[in-house]
Amino acid sequence: MKRLQVTLAVMMTFSLLISACQGGISLGKKITVSIVYGSEKQAWLEPLVAEYNAANHKTAEGSTIVVEATPMGSIESVDAIIGGTMQPTVWSPASSVYVPVANAEWRKTHSDDLVADNPKDLVLSPVVIAMWEPMARALGWPDKQLGWADIAGLAVSDEGWAAYGYPEWGVFKFGHTHPGYSNSGIVSIIAEAYAGAGKQRGLTLDDLNDPKVSQFMVAVESSIIHYGVSTGFFADRMFERGPSYLSAAVMYENLVVAQESKRIEGTSQQLPVAAIYPKEGTFWSNHPYAILNAPWVTAEHKAAAQDFEAFLLDKPQQLKAIELGFRPADPSIPLTSPLDPQHGVDPAQPKTVLEIPPAEVISAIEALWKQVKKPVDLVLVVDTSGSMAGSKITAARSSLMQFISLLDDRDRIEIITFNSDLLTLTDLSPVSEKRQDAITRVSGIIESGNTRLYDATLLAYQELQDKADPKHIRSIVILSDGQDTASEKTLNDVLAVIGTGNLEGGNAIKMFTIAFGDDADKDILKQIAEATGGKQYDSTPENINKIYSEIATFF
Amino acid sequence: MHTPRANWAIFILYSFTVLVIFVVALISPALRQTFYAPLRDWILPKPKPIEISVLYSTEKEAWLNEVIADFEKSDARVNGRPVQVTLEKMGSREIYLSVLDGTRKPDVISPASSLQIAILQDQSAGKFPVPVVNLADRQSCRSIVTTPLVVVAWQERADVLWGGNPNSHMWTRLQEAVLNPQGWNSYGHPEWGYLKFGHTDPLKSNSGFMTILLMTYNYIGKTSGLTSADILSDTAYQQWFLDFESTITQFEQSTGPLMQKMVAYGPSTFDMVAVYEATAIEQAENAVGRYGELRVYYPPATVWSDHPFCVLNADWVTPEKAEASNLFIDYLSSKPVQEIALMKYGFRPVDPSVVLTQPGSPFERYTANGFQADLSGLPTVEVPSGNVLNTLLEFWSRNVQR
């Protein structure tokens, strides 16, 4: 009897093993399709990636396809690919605008284009200027078509909204993302250059040398409250903080639809928002799905990536895109609700587009923008208390040095370190005069003593109040690894002082705080940052460099 | 238990039935097929199929994929051997280039038009003992479905530009309009920006090739007898042509995607595009209720995408394969298959018994969009020799290609 039982058990184990092998469960091969994509489509793509992976799709070779998708600024990601720090299978930026530049850069070290053939579009959304509806109406919208020139006019006006009978709205506050990181940033500055040159196509390097182009760009950029890494973040800030923070920002139509859907459902209490389709023309955010023509993309990778592409372009997935405010790439799907005026958008727009300039012109516009962008007056506040000893102080030093190297010559910085004492390493003055000196000083900071976080914060704030140019972006970046132990002032003192900035809305002094290590008081740092419209980051010695780099995108 | 007597009766009945079936099967071909063939297949080795490979242009993909299954079911045979077709889609130019450079040895090729056959005929002369294709031989090279090149436009804008239908100067008028420094402003519509016209990459897609051929004929003022000298020596033409092309910043690689973009992006991106009539039909329904009315305009003289199917005159195409190929091409010319091409894919059948305007056909449904069944009054330009066509492509490739 026992023998029979043993035999049965052996047979069952065997059959289980065989069925597992046949099913390919856990024993089968896998192929990973890595995708870096413009973060604007995260809400659409993320659930679809999960759905696709759960269905265990296979390649012809029998490998299970695993999609790993990472949201990232469209320009930042391709820079990383060209720089060799990232090797994804697919690059899906927010639009095709930067593809010629990416190819030109790639060809410096390769014989072929990085993005060969014309990639297919996944979803569409026009680039729009999102403006609070009452403000748009004050400008004559919807009867009057508005454009980039109107934005420039508002931006240079000292009177701001008072000129339109609304002094309570203050000055015109405008936003677009950083062109070095994000697609909407690059298209914003291309559109500014076109408007400055009075053209809609055929923009040349000669046009960019015409002073009227840079003057126009200076005018628009003067109203920027800050730049930023992603369009989604900008939209969140605008729709959370309301009209006093930002009057208008360059974003995508789908983000307006998403916000209006929230407002209609009652989950947002803000004023309505209107999508303005610039009358001079705009660009499409067409979310191309570029399977990279790169040595690390094998034929099987390509086939697997195409399988996922087909899934995304299939009707059910395209229909989901409409719900989120995108226009589907599949023309057989009608443009229905929520793509309607109730949600702030006009599906019959845009009426015309601007021509995508050649790579060298786009690069020249980026260079020109660096000269005309709004400079930052920045105070860097660094905790040098005793608890920073070891890897923390080493990482803090090197990341600060890297951060200073990212700033532009016209930016001005001051550096304050704090422990039991407050020490000003260098006063507020242009980076051009002291970049190397500041880097050297930072390389020499040492740790000891207590933590006077509040006193240091207030000192930095006072310094900017007294010395900064109100026409510059004004900002404080604070790094701290512990709780305040020795300040004369309290958190309430700090919040009371920085709260007075609220009257300036988006132009207030903004604080970015970095909670460094596990002992940092994240909650307090968050309160300080958010009171100003800034942002709080959690950081470790391993990623502090990345955090500083992200903060740099605001300037 | 049966009795021995009953067993005996059952045996006789059984034997008799088997005998009857055997005799009937020998006499009746239908039954022979039913009973004998499976038996034969079971006992004898299967005859080796005759495999034919077909390289075809992408426009026919959906139609061919739909009808191939029925061909396989029809059990077409040559010398008792079944015919097996391998279809492979490819760009029209790629098809003839791959034959010319020897990388592919298909039995049948079907590019989008006779333009590619003319080039292949011309260029294969030095490379093969005999020309691999011969358009003049109607038996080996036959057009199976056709569709003319058209211009598709947003009607609101075309009305402003042409005020009805374009006249014989369509291309020259269009060239002036796309280059007009004031754009649509000159026509009272500053909000439309510049007039944006699109066609596909002539090196990758036949419709782009046909477009530049029509533009060239129209400017030179001919409908036949285009020469290489017309292209290479006439500087006024060159200037005119290159100016026209300079307004197109991106050339799509294929006609279907260009038309899809026209519909998905709307008039902001393309006011007008040059595509096949069949491609326009495919998107006619999708365009409804989107960005206004889409309308097709027939150019003053057109050129046809005539989808020739040519059995190659090459040593790898054995007489058996040639015969099998012809069976397949005959099948594609048969009425039911031609009707599918018309009703579902908007192609014009070559079978004259298929009525274009029959109920439910696209030519009946979309007349309001300007589709015309009867194009007998529309002149067709002459397809120049392969040599001249190649000159035109080369000229484009050197001066325009991006």
Side-chain angles (χ1 to χ4, degrees):
Chain A
M1 193 62 189
K2 195 162 183 193
R3 201 161 154 178
L4 180 68
Q5 280 176 347
V6 171
T7 317
L8 273 175
V10 169
M11 280 172 69
M12 279 174 71
T13 316
F14 236 76
S15 58
L16 265 175
L17 264 175
I18 288 169
S19 64
C21 288
Q22 281 171 342
I25 313 159
S26 73
L27 298 173
K29 291 182 294 172
K30 271 187 193 171
I31 185 155
T32 303
V33 174
S34 54
I35 302 175
V36 283
Y37 66 94
S39 51
E40 301 76 17
K41 55 183 173 289
Q42 187 170 5
W44 176 64
L45 203 59
E46 219 165 53
L48 295 180
V49 169
E51 189 184 327
Y52 180 85
N53 284 341
N56 277 316
H57 290 256
K58 288 198 185 328
T59 59
E61 289 85 348
S63 314
T64 305
I65 305 170
V66 179
V67 175
E68 284 174 6
T70 316
M72 198 174 186
S74 301
I75 314 299
E76 189 184 8
S77 55
V78 80
D79 282 351
I81 294 166
I82 291 163
T85 54
M86 227 166 36
Q87 299 195 329
T89 319
V90 176
W91 175 50
S92 181
S95 87
S96 300
V97 169
Y98 208 65
V99 170
V101 184
N103 278 339
E105 285 298 312
W106 182 256
R107 272 183 176 273
K108 286 179 184 167
T109 49
H110 297 80
S111 60
D112 216 346
D113 283 340
L114 176 65
V115 179
D117 305 332
N118 294 350
K120 287 185 184 161
D121 301 334
L122 293 180
V123 286
L124 306 176
S125 197
V127 174
V128 300
I129 298 169
M131 189 181 280
W132 299 102
E133 198 193 290
M135 292 181 174
R137 287 194 186 279
L139 296 176
W141 178 91
D143 303 328
K144 186 182 163 202
Q145 287 255 309
L146 303 174
W148 299 101
D150 299 280
I151 297 291
L154 260 168
V156 289
S157 145
D158 288 334
E159 278 188 279
W161 289 109
Y164 295 87
Y166 293 91
E168 67 272 27
W169 292 342
V171 295
F172 177 69
K173 301 179 198 92
F174 188 51
H176 66 69
T177 54
H178 194 297
Y181 297 82
S182 154
N183 175 71
S184 69
I186 199 95
V187 299
S188 300
I189 63 171
I190 296 172
E192 283 174 27
Y194 266 119
K199 284 188 163 186
Q200 293 173 289
R201 70 174 177 197
L203 195 65
T204 63
L205 293 173
D206 280 346
D207 291 326
L208 300 180
N209 290 329
D210 187 336
K212 78 178 182 197
V213 173
S214 53
Q215 280 160 14
F216 185 92
M217 287 177 75
V218 167
V220 176
E221 296 290 312
S222 69
S223 62
I224 295 281
I225 60 159
H226 58 69
Y227 302 99
V229 70
S230 86
T231 320
F233 175 79
F234 240 105
D236 288 347
R237 274 296 130 107
M238 175 165 172
F239 302 142
E240 273 164 24
R241 303 187 79 90
S244 66
Y245 186 74
L246 201 52
S247 314
V250 181
M251 57 179 80
Y252 306 113
E253 184 188 64
N254 64 291
L255 294 168
V256 173
V257 174
Q259 163 62 14
E260 284 303 276
S261 296
K262 277 191 198 166
R263 192 182 60 78
I264 291 165
E265 283 164 16
T267 47
S268 166
Q269 310 302 322
Q270 290 294 359
L271 293 171
V273 183
I276 291 170
Y277 304 84
K279 67 177 177 204
E280 301 94 337
T282 184
F283 294 97
W284 283 90
S285 166
N286 58 327
H287 298 279
Y289 184 86
I291 302 170
L292 295 179
N293 181 30
W296 59 83
V297 178
T298 63
E300 195 182 8
H301 276 116
K302 192 175 172 191
Q306 281 169 339
D307 191 75
F308 184 59
E309 174 188 72
F311 169 78
L312 294 176
L313 292 174
D314 211 8
K315 258 207 176 118
Q317 284 66 256
Q318 291 282 304
L319 283 166
K320 280 181 192 150
I322 277 214
E323 290 165 26
L324 295 167
F326 289 102
R327 303 189 187 194
D330 179 348
S332 72
I333 299 175
L335 302 179
T336 49
S337 173
L339 291 168
D340 52 30
Q342 286 75 41
H343 292 81
V345 303
D346 177 2
Q349 290 273 8
K351 295 291 181 200
T352 188
V353 291
L354 298 167
E355 183 182 271
I356 298 177
E360 70 270 18
V361 174
I362 296 182
S363 299
I365 295 172
E366 285 183 283
L368 179 59
W369 174 78
K370 285 203 167 140
Q371 294 165 30
V372 302
K373 73 188 263 263
K374 196 166 175 178
V376 62
D377 283 354
L378 180 68
V379 182
L380 292 167
V381 181
V382 189
D383 188 341
T384 55
S385 61
S387 56
M388 287 282 286
S391 64
K392 280 191 194 168
I393 195 81
T394 317
R397 271 191 220 117
S398 66
S399 54
L400 265 171
M401 287 152 70
Q402 161 81 10
F403 179 76
I404 294 168
S405 71
L406 288 176
L407 295 170
D408 284 312
D409 280 351
R410 292 180 308 131
D411 294 335
R412 301 194 299 176
I413 53 167
E414 172 166 340
I415 303 171
I416 296 174
T417 61
F418 69 94
N419 42 34
S420 303
D421 301 309
L422 306 181
L423 180 68
T424 303
L425 288 190
T426 169
D427 269 324
L428 192 70
S429 58
V431 170
S432 60
E433 294 169 7
K434 62 176 181 189
R435 193 187 302 268
Q436 198 45 52
D437 181 52
I439 289 174
T440 311
R441 278 170 186 277
V442 166
S443 72
I445 54 176
I446 47 170
E447 75 290 351
S448 72
N450 283 322
T451 307
R452 284 176 65 193
L453 171 65
Y454 304 143
D455 290 350
T457 305
L458 282 172
L459 171 66
Y461 196 86
Q462 200 55 49
E463 288 284 292
L464 279 186
Q465 287 281 41
D466 296 346
K467 299 180 191 164
D469 183 338
K471 292 205 160 118
H472 292 186
I473 298 171
R474 295 172 302 161
S475 186
I476 299 169
V477 179
I478 303 171
L479 175 133
S480 172
D481 81 323
Q483 312 218 337
D484 191 295
T485 52
S487 280
E488 289 165 15
K489 300 286 186 184
T490 64
L491 174 64
N492 281 341
D493 293 333
V494 172
L495 293 177
V497 171
I498 61 182
T500 57
N502 280 346
L503 293 173
E504 296 174 283
N507 285 331
I509 294 172
K510 268 172 287 290
M511 296 202 189
F512 297 90
T513 55
I514 305 170
F516 197 38
D518 294 335
D519 299 331
D521 198 329
K522 292 173 187 170
D523 185 47
I524 282 174
L525 291 171
K526 192 168 185 187
Q527 282 187 54
I528 293 174
E530 293 192 346
T532 65
K535 193 174 172 187
Q536 182 256 328
Y537 298 87
D538 291 340
S539 177
T540 59
E542 289 74 43
N543 75 355
I544 180 70
N545 218 5
K546 193 164 165 272
I547 300 292
Y548 269 120
S549 303
E550 188 180 327
I551 293 174
T553 69
F554 286 95
F555 318 128
Chain B
M1 278 303 271
H2 299 293
T3 61
R5 198 189 170 103
N7 276 343
W8 189 237
I10 290 168
F11 175 72
I12 290 182
L13 189 67
Y14 176 76
S15 308
F16 182 73
T17 313
V18 168
L19 194 71
V20 167
I21 290 173
F22 185 71
V23 170
V24 172
L26 279 180
I27 301 165
S28 146
L31 278 176
R32 197 163 59 213
Q33 189 64 26
T34 316
F35 291 99
Y36 172 64
L39 195 68
R40 183 198 58 197
D41 288 353
W42 187 56
I43 297 167
L44 299 173
K46 280 185 187 163
K48 220 175 139 211
I50 300 175
E51 292 172 27
I52 55 165
S53 60
V54 181
L55 294 186
Y56 70 95
S57 64
T58 50
E59 303 83 0
K60 297 184 280 284
E61 184 182 7
W63 172 58
L64 288 179
N65 282 338
E66 179 174 344
V67 300
I68 187 71
D70 273 345
F71 176 72
E72 280 161 2
K73 272 189 230 150
S74 74
D75 197 30
R77 278 166 193 262
V78 172
N79 300 335
R81 292 169 62 191
V83 179
Q84 200 177 332
V85 180
T86 310
L87 293 172
E88 190 185 343
K89 66 172 175 172
M90 223 183 222
S92 291
R93 184 159 177 265
E94 249 183 303
I95 292 176
Y96 73 76
L97 289 179
S98 71
V99 171
L100 279 174
D101 67 16
T103 52
R104 307 304 295 263
K105 294 190 184 319
D107 303 301
V108 178
I109 58 167
S110 178
S113 78
S114 299
L115 270 61
Q116 289 81 31
I117 301 298
I119 296 181
L120 181 58
Q121 196 173 347
D122 182 64
Q123 300 204 342
S124 68
K127 297 194 175 175
F128 296 88
V130 286
V132 285
V133 280
N134 184 2
L135 256 183
D137 174 6
R138 299 310 301 171
Q139 195 47 41
S140 72
C141 239
R142 299 182 252 168
S143 164
I144 294 300
V145 287
T146 69
T147 187
L149 190 88
V150 297
V151 169
V152 179
W154 297 99
Q155 186 172 358
E156 183 190 11
R157 300 195 178 188
D159 280 349
V160 170
L161 181 69
W162 287 323
N165 279 316
N167 60 17
S168 60
H169 302 292
M170 185 188 96
W171 295 106
T172 43
R173 292 270 300 277
L174 187 55
Q175 195 258 14
E176 282 162 22
V178 294
L179 286 165
N180 188 325
Q182 296 299 312
W184 281 110
N185 202 8
S186 297
Y187 301 85
H189 286 278
E191 74 279 15
W192 294 346
Y194 287 101
L195 197 158
K196 292 174 276 293
F197 169 72
H199 66 71
T200 57
D201 183 337
L203 293 176
K204 304 219 166 88
S205 156
N206 173 66
S207 73
F209 190 10
M210 294 193 344
T211 308
I212 63 169
L213 177 66
L214 287 186
M215 282 158 60
T216 302
Y217 262 128
N218 195 241
Y219 179 85
I220 290 171
K222 296 182 182 176
T223 53
S224 64
L226 187 69
T227 64
S228 291
D230 289 333
I231 298 161
L232 297 177
S233 317
D234 184 343
T235 50
Y237 153 75
Q238 292 181 349
Q239 187 65 44
W240 176 88
F241 179 76
L242 296 178
D243 283 348
F244 200 157
E245 295 291 272
S246 73
T247 65
I248 303 175
T249 48
Q250 196 185 17
F251 297 96
E252 282 294 322
Q253 296 176 5
S254 204
T255 319
L258 175 65
M259 186 63 208
Q260 278 195 14
K261 276 201 168 166
M262 172 88 175
V263 175
Y265 287 70
S268 67
T269 307
F270 290 115
D271 296 287
M272 301 179 179
V273 290
V275 294
Y276 305 116
E277 182 189 62
T279 322
I281 286 173
E282 219 181 305
Q283 293 292 337
E285 197 73 51
N286 292 340
V288 174
R290 195 171 278 264
Y291 296 106
E293 293 296 316
L294 259 191
R295 200 180 160 85
V296 299
Y297 297 89
Y298 294 88
T302 194
V303 57
W304 291 77
S305 166
D306 53 353
H307 296 283
F309 276 75
C310 299
V311 183
L312 292 193
N313 188 18
D315 52 9
W316 61 84
V317 185
T318 60
E320 258 188 339
K321 280 185 172 226
E323 201 183 328
S325 301
N326 273 315
L327 279 183
F328 176 60
I329 300 170
D330 286 345
Y331 166 76
L332 295 178
S333 335
S334 67
K335 196 166 176 179
V337 180
Q338 294 268 300
E339 287 209 313
I340 294 173
L342 165 68
M343 301 298 277
K344 287 187 73 177
Y345 302 103
F347 288 113
R348 293 170 181 252
V350 286
D351 180 344
S353 72
V354 180
V355 181
L356 281 187
T357 51
Q358 60 185 284
S361 111
F363 292 95
E364 183 238 11
R365 281 154 65 201
Y366 302 124
T367 42
N369 298 97
F371 290 99
Q372 293 170 27
D374 181 10
L375 292 182
S376 53
L378 181 65
T380 300
V381 299
E382 179 190 54
V383 174
S385 73
N387 183 26
V388 175
L389 287 169
N390 214 39
T391 304
L392 181 60
L393 273 189
E394 277 291 312
F395 179 68
W396 190 91
S397 151
R398 280 199 205 130
N399 298 290
V400 184
Q401 189 180 20
R402 281 187 270 280

